[in-house]
Amino acid sequence: MTESPQEPGLRTPHQSLNPVIEAVESPKRWTRSRIAVQVAGFILGLGLLGLTIYLATTGDNAAQFQHMRDAPPTWLIALLAVSAASIVVNGVMFWFVLLPLRRLNLVDVVAVNAIAVFLALLPFKLGLLIRALIHHRRDGVPFKQLLAWFAAISALALAIVLPMALASLWRGQVDALWWLAALIGPVVCTAVGVGCGRIAPRYPILSRLSLGADAIVKHLSAVVPHFIFRCVDVACLAARFLIAAKILGHEMTLDQAILTGTTYFLLSVVAPTGVLGAREAGTAGVGLVQGLDVAGIALLVTAAETLAAAALGTLAAWRLRLHAVLLSRRSVVDAELHQS
């Protein structure tokens, strides 16, 4: 499924709802005020990161890094392995969600995700920007489909993770009611999304509000695999926090790991100027509200994810010939149109 050259792509009435995609279409859209906001947000994130490091290394917390030095290498390897697995699982989710619109190479989509995860630490939503550029220029995915794809993956993720996080905040422990809310909530929210996608043709406002994601979320062939792999990713998140806690000499229960893991993920999604600092400080803050000291754990989870993303991203850049993609000024679609 491709767009004709006459189609407006992102130049639609709802384009202003996604400034990142606008930036992909035209760098001139990055006004001084937007740049200032991104830079200020990045500086604030660095400040929050510094605060989190301070909390994790002062007082009684200073001893936890001695535990890390004494931890068996197998625990560190396990944390890196689960972090890498999470990156791969998220790439698979991206691949499944795009299937209703087009089929790309699965390994390539996972490779792009590794690069995007690593660059997500930087401001200007650089991870999302580079993801869009690679898929547009290398794979010929039109901007309009990119917008729908990213909106769909975000909506489907929130439909699962947000009810789980709310269930954890409500119950404070993994009991029968938590399992009931954590299982029913995501199913209900996802089903509502599918229903909205299917009635969107009768109510165009739904399509406009969804940024075109309705064309994806109405397909169970995309929604069901995403649901399964997102649950696997939540399990990976919880495992990463449990392992990091073990390495630092903390005792963490499953419900605490799920709460901090889902908080960590949600902050990664909503952080407007790069995830670095914001998600670590936010996770630490939510932990303190719950009586948990997780500043050091969040930092270790981020460090492991960064190392895993750097390793996978380096291989991905070689596979995708990233330098050639970024230096190219035309997408595959543009080149084919030019030759015809």
Side-chain angles (χ1 to χ4, degrees), residues 147-262:
L147 182 58
W149 185 17
F150 296 162
I153 197 83
S154 297
L156 290 172
L158 290 175
I160 296 171
V161 178
L162 188 57
M164 288 184 175
L166 292 176
S168 297
L169 287 173
W170 170 46
R171 299 304 302 162
Q173 60 180 337
V174 177
D175 56 11
L177 287 177
W178 183 91
W179 280 109
L180 188 64
L183 291 175
I184 294 179
V187 171
V188 170
C189 291
T190 300
V192 169
V194 173
C196 289
R198 293 188 173 182
I199 66 173
R202 287 181 284 170
Y203 304 96
I205 184 63
L206 291 177
S207 181
R208 290 196 294 271
L209 289 175
S210 74
L211 306 180
D214 59 290
I216 294 176
V217 300
K218 66 182 180 181
H219 293 280
L220 291 179
S221 59
V223 173
V224 173
H226 172 273
F227 191 98
I228 294 171
F229 279 99
R230 183 63 67 186
C231 291
V232 172
D233 187 47
V234 170
C236 286
L237 271 169
R240 288 159 64 188
F241 275 86
L242 286 171
I243 296 171
K246 184 73 174 179
I247 291 171
L248 294 176
H250 290 277
E251 292 296 329
M252 177 175 279
T253 61
L254 177 60
D255 52 288
Q256 292 169 344
I258 292 174
L259 173 60
T260 52
T262 51

Side-chain angles (χ1 to χ4, degrees), residues 107-132:
V107 177
D108 289 348
V109 175
V110 172
V112 173
N113 187 64
I115 294 171
V117 170
F118 181 73
L119 294 178
L121 297 170
L122 302 176
F124 301 98
K125 283 291 187 180
L126 192 58
L128 181 58
L129 178 65
I130 294 300
R131 188 194 298 274

Side-chain angles (χ1 to χ4, degrees), residues 38-339:
Q38 291 291 320
V39 172
F42 184 62
I43 294 173
L44 176 61
L46 291 178
L48 292 172
L49 180 64
L51 175 61
T52 308
I53 293 173
Y54 174 78
L55 293 174
T57 55
T58 55
D60 295 338
N61 288 331
Q64 65 185 335
F65 291 99
Q66 180 62 44
H67 283 283
M68 183 174 70
R69 287 191 291 269
D70 297 336
T74 51
W75 284 109
L76 296 170
I77 294 171
L79 181 58
L80 288 170
V82 178
S83 299
S86 182
I87 293 171
V88 173
V89 166
N90 274 272
V92 173
M93 280 187 281
F94 268 93
W95 183 79
F96 270 113
V97 171
L98 185 62
L99 279 181
L101 301 183
R102 60 176 55 221
R103 179 184 292 270
L104 300 182
N105 181 282
L106 174 59
V107 177
D108 289 348
V109 175
V110 172
V112 173
N113 187 64
I115 294 171
V117 170
F118 181 73
L119 294 178
L121 297 170
L122 302 176
F124 301 98
K125 283 291 187 180
L126 192 58
L128 181 58
L129 178 65
I130 294 300
R131 188 194 298 274
L133 279 173
I134 295 173
H135 285 306
H136 175 66
R137 291 182 176 179
R138 185 178 186 275
D139 301 319
V141 181
F143 287 123
K144 193 173 183 179
Q145 290 186 1
L146 286 171
L147 182 58
W149 185 17
F150 296 162
I153 197 83
S154 297
L156 290 172
L158 290 175
I160 296 171
V161 178
L162 188 57
M164 288 184 175
L166 292 176
S168 297
L169 287 173
W170 170 46
R171 299 304 302 162
Q173 60 180 337
V174 177
D175 56 11
L177 287 177
W178 183 91
W179 280 109
L180 188 64
L183 291 175
I184 294 179
V187 171
V188 170
C189 291
T190 300
V192 169
V194 173
C196 289
R198 293 188 173 182
I199 66 173
R202 287 181 284 170
Y203 304 96
I205 184 63
L206 291 177
S207 181
R208 290 196 294 271
L209 289 175
S210 74
L211 306 180
D214 59 290
I216 294 176
V217 300
K218 66 182 180 181
H219 293 280
L220 291 179
S221 59
V223 173
V224 173
H226 172 273
F227 191 98
I228 294 171
F229 279 99
R230 183 63 67 186
C231 291
V232 172
D233 187 47
V234 170
C236 286
L237 271 169
R240 288 159 64 188
F241 275 86
L242 286 171
I243 296 171
K246 184 73 174 179
I247 291 171
L248 294 176
H250 290 277
E251 292 296 329
M252 177 175 279
T253 61
L254 177 60
D255 52 288
Q256 292 169 344
I258 292 174
L259 173 60
T260 52
T262 51
T263 300
Y264 185 88
F265 173 81
L266 288 173
L267 291 170
S268 299
V269 173
V270 302
T273 56
V275 300
L276 188 62
R279 64 180 176 182
E280 292 79 21
T283 302
V286 171
L288 288 175
V289 171
Q290 297 295 312
L292 306 173
D293 190 355
V294 297
I297 298 172
L299 288 172
L300 183 54
V301 168
T302 292
E305 179 181 85
T306 302
L307 289 174
L312 293 176
T314 299
L315 295 174
W318 171 79
R319 174 183 173 84
L320 300 173
R321 299 182 69 246
L322 183 61
H323 65 286
V325 175
L326 297 182
L327 292 175
S328 172
R329 299 185 63 85
R330 291 191 303 170
S331 70
V332 173
V333 170
D334 295 332
E336 291 177 350
L337 289 172
H338 181 75
Q339 294 172 2

